[in-house]
Amino acid sequence: MALFRTRSAAVYGIDAHLIDVEVDMYPSANRDFITVGMPDTAVRESRERIKSALINSGFGYPSKGVTINLAPANVRKEGAGFDLPMALGILGAMGTVGSTDEHLLVGELSLDGAIRPIRGALSIAACARKQGIPKLVVPADNAAEAAVAGTHVFGMRHLTEVVRFLQRPEDFAPHAVNGHADKAEPSSSLDFRDVRGQTTAKRALEVAAAGGHNVLLVGPPGSGKTMLAKRLPVVLPPLTFPEALETTQVHSVAGVLASGLGLMTERPFRAPHHSVSDAGLIGGGSGMPRPGEVSLAHNGVLFLDELPEFPRNVLEQLRQPLEDGSVTLARAQMTLSFPANFMLVAAMNPCPCK
């Protein structure tokens, strides 16, 4: 019998919680691979990815049964980010790697052993720092994002590279922090200064931006309502570090953060179509709730074009975020909150005269 433990993390809302990955290897003619601890479908399917990744990386697969427990067992585990700690737990039980008590590991494995990016790397890095775990191993594409949290982050591209790191840590250096001070060039070519005319509308948007007020733009089609709204984030104040950190966390958890990006430096602009559902606007979905458009617009602008076309039940969902600056989603096992502090800009055509 061989027992080995690694540590990982699961994201709930925009916060991550520590998960112990316990691996028990025992003699079995059937070579069972059992995962317990309320895993979802993606976690249960990891056994096929792990087997192929271990064999194709040259480590082989033991001719024994394997039972993996994801603790605490009463909390649902979701996503493929547990592939890497589970695979290293098997290698530890085989005697290939030593103790990983100083490491927190996350990553999805491909069949050849390559490590794919995951959601919520920044939240996981913040969890590692809070729990006092000195070293965080993440996919290379998530390294810049995770390093913002201020812990020692090691970005890895392949399972064999992680094994070498655990065997010879002195050969690896942590990822350099690319913080808020290192601003990238603005990705948007839209600029408020390009607007000619529209003096009254521009003045109204400037006042709204200065005071953080919501705006309703009324005018005929083609009068420039959408054009002005898209340029509003340019005149908003720059993101502070806490704002940038929280905004990046939301986009990371939602899986829409650009690969290789560290900290977001531009205020988000979200413009959902009027056919959006209430779950798409507020957040939710099956399984673990995901952030909606109001949370993706956190610290930025939410633009609702053709406001009367939105379903009434969807618009009524905006009451809580407009009043509280957050969204609370209740589920049977937990209640999650997502930040949703944004400027609401709505546009509509004037009512026809009779």
Side-chain angles (χ1 to χ4, degrees), residues 270-322:
R270 306 294 299 186
H273 191 259
H274 59 73
S275 62
V276 65
S277 65
D278 50 358
L281 185 67
I282 300 300
S286 60
M288 194 64 61
R290 301 292 184 191
E293 290 292 334
V294 296
S295 295
L296 293 174
H298 181 57
N299 292 321
V301 176
L302 177 66
F303 179 54
L304 302 183
D305 199 8
E306 301 295 342
L307 181 67
E309 300 296 330
F310 284 80
R312 179 177 178 178
N313 67 302
V314 172
L315 293 179
E316 288 178 347
Q317 302 291 328
L318 291 173
R319 181 193 59 80
Q320 184 189 15
L322 286 175

Side-chain angles (χ1 to χ4, degrees), residues 73-220:
N74 62 340
V75 178
R76 184 175 178 83
K77 318 304 184 305
E78 189 176 86
F82 297 102
D83 289 3
L84 183 60
M86 290 166 68
L88 288 171
I90 294 174
L91 290 175
M94 293 168 58
T96 304
V97 298
S99 174
T100 61
D101 289 342
E102 294 185 350
H103 304 78
L104 192 148
L105 310 144
V106 289
E108 176 186 346
L109 290 176
S110 61
L111 298 184
D112 63 351
I115 304 177
R116 299 179 182 273
I118 49 98
R119 296 179 179 182
L122 179 55
S123 299
I124 293 172
C127 173
R129 181 178 181 180
K130 181 179 179 180
Q131 297 293 333
I133 302 175
K135 298 176 183 178
L136 173 64
V137 178
V138 299
D141 290 341
N142 296 123
E145 168 194 347
V148 175
T151 188
H152 291 92
V153 175
F154 298 85
M156 302 293 173
R157 298 190 179 276
H158 200 275
L159 179 60
T160 56
E161 189 178 6
V162 180
V163 173
R164 289 199 306 270
F165 166 68
L166 294 176
Q167 293 173 341
R168 297 183 59 85
E170 65 275 5
D171 294 342
F172 294 81
H175 190 278
V177 178
N178 190 10
H180 186 65
D182 187 14
K183 282 194 174 184
E185 291 297 322
S187 59
S188 175
S189 60
L190 302 176
D191 201 321
F192 206 72
R193 74 180 73 181
D194 297 333
V195 180
R196 299 292 183 263
Q198 302 282 8
T199 305
T200 304
K202 288 165 60 178
R203 174 61 178 166
L205 289 178
E206 290 168 0
V207 172
H213 306 298
N214 301 317
V215 181
L216 175 63
L217 301 174
V218 181

